[in-house]
Amino acid sequence: MASPPNTSATMTGFNLESFLKEVSDKKFPPVEKWNPDFCGDIDMRIAADGTWFYMGTPITRERMVRLFSTVLRKDADGRTYLVTPVEKIGIQVEDAHFVAKSVDVLGEPQAQILSFVTNVGDTVIADAAHPIRVEVDSETEEPRPYITVRGRLEALIARSVFYELVEHAEQIETDGTTELVVTSNGERFSLGSWSDG
């Protein structure tokens, strides 16, 4: 059995500035095509509200957060990494990778487009490749809506934005069940359902 990666060297040798220089030349580097060796984990975390932390301290430089966000990748193992052609570094994500802070509802109702903007400035249009999904918290029964941004990366849709979606949703009743549905770019997405009984 292979030994686990030595993460202590990565923790002490990781340099934020040099890492940023490696990835600052393109808006979205082709991280899906890169296959570097895993270098270990660093003490970096994306909190549930979208705030990035490094060694327990919030990263307040927007440019730095933006650049890090362009080299995020969630792999099939369910973990999230920062990836360059030569490094693959594990980080922690409390909930989603991003937060969808606003939505524009464009076009006529029968052909509308839902255009979201995330906390790092990405624009995402809900469609077949960028679906909206809603989970329900088992304890609070509150909805937790998400939209796929790219690859396996998702944005949590902020509560105020979700309420906007609900305002634009239509109710579909089938066999005693009512479902809230929104349409974007020809695709329909469920925001939740309930039984009339």
Side-chain angles (χ1 to χ4, degrees):
M1 179 180 293
S3 299
N6 183 348
T7 59
S8 59
T10 305
M11 293 287 291
T12 56
F14 183 74
N15 185 292
L16 287 177
E17 294 296 337
S18 63
F19 187 92
L20 289 171
K21 287 178 183 177
E22 288 185 52
V23 300
S24 62
D25 58 336
K26 294 181 181 179
K27 182 177 180 182
F28 293 116
V31 294
E32 301 298 330
K33 297 180 181 178
W34 295 339
N35 293 293
D37 291 334
F38 176 58
C39 300
D41 296 324
I42 59 169
D43 187 6
M44 185 174 285
R45 172 174 59 93
I46 304 175
D49 66 357
T51 302
W52 287 60
F53 290 83
Y54 179 58
M55 298 183 71
T57 302
I59 302 175
T60 56
R61 291 169 55 187
E62 291 185 11
R63 177 180 172 273
M64 183 177 287
V65 170
R66 169 66 184 162
L67 284 172
F68 278 132
S69 76
T70 65
V71 292
L72 277 180
R73 191 176 79 195
K74 183 177 180 181
D75 285 358
D77 62 4
R79 296 200 59 204
T80 299
Y81 303 92
L82 296 174
V83 182
T84 74
V86 296
E87 291 179 288
K88 178 179 175 181
I89 302 165
I91 68 169
Q92 297 296 315
V93 180
E94 287 185 359
D95 190 349
H97 306 89
F98 312 107
V99 177
K101 295 284 194 178
S102 66
V103 63
D104 287 323
V105 182
L106 311 172
E108 298 298 320
Q110 65 273 17
Q112 75 180 5
I113 289 175
L114 302 175
S115 178
F116 297 83
V117 177
T118 73
N119 60 312
V120 294
D122 294 335
T123 299
V124 185
I125 293 175
D127 57 19
H130 306 91
I132 296 170
R133 68 179 182 89
V134 179
E135 291 186 357
V136 177
D137 189 293
S138 59
E139 293 183 3
T140 66
E141 297 188 352
E142 289 287 321
R144 293 193 65 78
Y146 302 86
I147 181 169
T148 299
V149 176
R150 60 184 179 274
R152 297 183 180 92
L153 304 178
E154 291 186 310
L156 173 67
I157 298 173
R159 181 168 298 191
S160 60
V161 177
F162 183 67
Y163 290 156
E164 285 187 61
L165 295 181
V166 170
E167 291 178 5
H168 291 277
E170 61 176 315
Q171 291 189 13
I172 298 176
E173 297 184 11
T174 308
D175 298 329
T177 299
T178 302
E179 184 176 24
L180 279 181
V181 176
V182 290
T183 302
S184 178
N185 208 22
E187 298 292 326
R188 301 173 77 181
F189 305 102
S190 175
L191 300 184
S193 61
W194 62 91
S195 175
D196 298 335

